[in-house]
Every structure is written in C-alpha cells, then in structure tokens.
Amino acid sequence: MKCRRCPAEARSNRTLCASCAQRSTEHNRVWSKANAERVRVRRNEYNKEQRKTNTERIREKDRIREQKTQRSAKRRVQKPDYSHECHIRRLLHVSQEEAQRLIVLSRSGSCEACGDSYTRSRLGYGKFGLHIDHNHKTGAFRGFLCSRCNQALGLLLDDPRRIQSLLDYLEVRR
C-alpha cells in the first residue's frame, strides 16, 4: 500500500510510511504544546461527556476497585507475608513452601557478606529482615544479605572486577 503523503511504501495496515508517520507525530506534539489551553478545554469537555454517558460503567469500575482494595486489606491482615511470598516465588521460581522457608530464614541469622544481624526492628533495615540475594541472569538464589550489602552489590552491577577495583582504590587512598 502506498503512503498517502509521499510515493513511499506504507507500513502494513497503515496509511503513512514510517518517516511520514514520525513527522506527523512530531507535528502533533508541537501543535499540542502550542495550543495547550485549547487541548485542555477539549479534553475536559470530552471527559464530562463521557462521565454523563457512562456513569453506570464508571460506578461499576469504582465498585470493583473498592472490592479489590477491601480484599487486599483483609488478606494483609490474614496473611501478612503474602505479597513477600509472591514476590519470592516470582523472583526465584520456587514453590510456596520453599518461599515460606526462605522468609523464615531471612528473618533470622546474619548477612553472609558482612556478618551483621539485621532484624525487623533494628534501624528499620529491610522490612522483611535480610534480603534474598539472587543472580540476575540465572535467577538462582545466592544467599542472604543486609540492606547495605545488597544495595552495594547492586550498584556495583554484581561485577567482581568492579568490586576488586574499588577495593584496590580504597587500599591505596587510605
């Protein structure tokens, strides 16, 4: 199919080629900025009209949203570790029992890097105790780290060379 603005070939199921579509998008963005007040008024009018014609649908969405909020609040009271457990299961691809075991282990013991013991109450480090460290490429569980060690490892991109370079720098600059 031909582009309706130039002789180039348009993308499938489109009326404009890629370059004309990009120019059109840029033109619309510039026009919207130049006519911001007009766009705002038109958008408000459209939204008012939609609220008038779709009040029942909007009420239904609000009712469903409220039900979800209530269910979430109830679940947080009944199962305080539910979201943490779901996060671990999704992150490490483990069973529910394994995730629960890891949660229990993360709340006891000490950081495997620095040896400090961080619990729920100590200085607010980690809402859930120690962090569960994992390999970001394979998703494999590596161990438990305190908040500081976990952040440091993340900021250093899990790169042993970068960590060693930083260590060498510290030794020289002492």
Side-chain angles (χ1 to χ4, degrees):
M1 177 187 239
K2 292 258 184 206
C3 175
R4 57 181 187 161
R5 290 194 183 159
C6 71
E9 194 67 28
R11 295 178 281 178
S12 62
N13 299 332
R14 305 283 182 181
T15 57
L16 298 175
C17 67
S19 61
C20 288
Q22 185 177 4
R23 279 195 302 275
S24 177
T25 302
E26 290 169 7
H27 171 349
N28 290 343
R29 190 177 300 124
V30 169
W31 185 90
S32 293
K33 277 187 178 180
N35 298 288
E37 183 61 26
R38 193 170 162 188
V39 169
R40 186 185 64 76
V41 168
R42 191 180 296 168
R43 186 182 305 122
N44 285 343
E45 288 172 2
Y46 175 80
N47 288 341
K48 282 178 188 175
E49 189 62 36
Q50 289 300 309
R51 279 194 293 273
K52 285 179 189 174
T53 58
N54 297 312
T55 53
E56 203 53 46
R57 198 177 95 224
I58 291 169
R59 282 192 190 121
E60 180 65 16
K61 280 185 169 183
D62 289 343
R63 189 183 63 76
I64 291 170
R65 186 181 306 119
E66 182 60 32
Q67 285 178 343
K68 286 181 178 180
T69 303
Q70 289 173 354
R71 278 197 308 264
S72 295
K74 187 177 177 182
R75 187 184 302 128
R76 275 193 298 276
V77 170
Q78 292 174 344
K79 299 178 179 180
D81 293 333
Y82 181 78
S83 62
H84 190 211
E85 178 187 311
C86 289
H87 172 70
I88 292 170
R89 288 174 61 193
R90 208 172 28 251
L91 183 72
L92 302 176
H93 306 288
V94 295
S95 67
Q96 182 178 2
E97 295 77 25
E98 181 66 13
Q100 289 171 347
R101 187 182 73 78
L102 288 173
I103 290 172
V104 169
L105 288 173
S106 74
R107 291 194 176 141
S108 59
S110 57
C111 174
E112 294 180 28
C114 68
D116 281 352
S117 176
Y118 289 91
T119 60
R120 204 180 263 255
S121 60
R122 179 150 187 250
L123 301 173
Y125 282 103
K127 182 178 175 186
F128 301 111
L130 295 169
H131 293 261
I132 295 174
D133 182 38
H134 68 285
N135 184 320
H136 288 263
K137 288 186 178 127
T138 65
F141 171 74
R142 288 194 293 211
F144 298 104
L145 297 177
C146 67
S147 181
R148 287 182 180 151
C149 291
N150 189 44
Q151 287 179 15
L153 195 58
L155 290 171
L156 293 169
L157 306 174
D158 295 347
D159 184 3
R161 286 179 289 154
R162 189 178 295 252
I163 296 168
Q164 187 60 51
S165 296
L166 192 59
L167 201 74
D168 294 342
Y169 170 81
L170 262 179
E171 289 296 324
V172 170
R173 305 292 171 134
R174 263 193 178 189

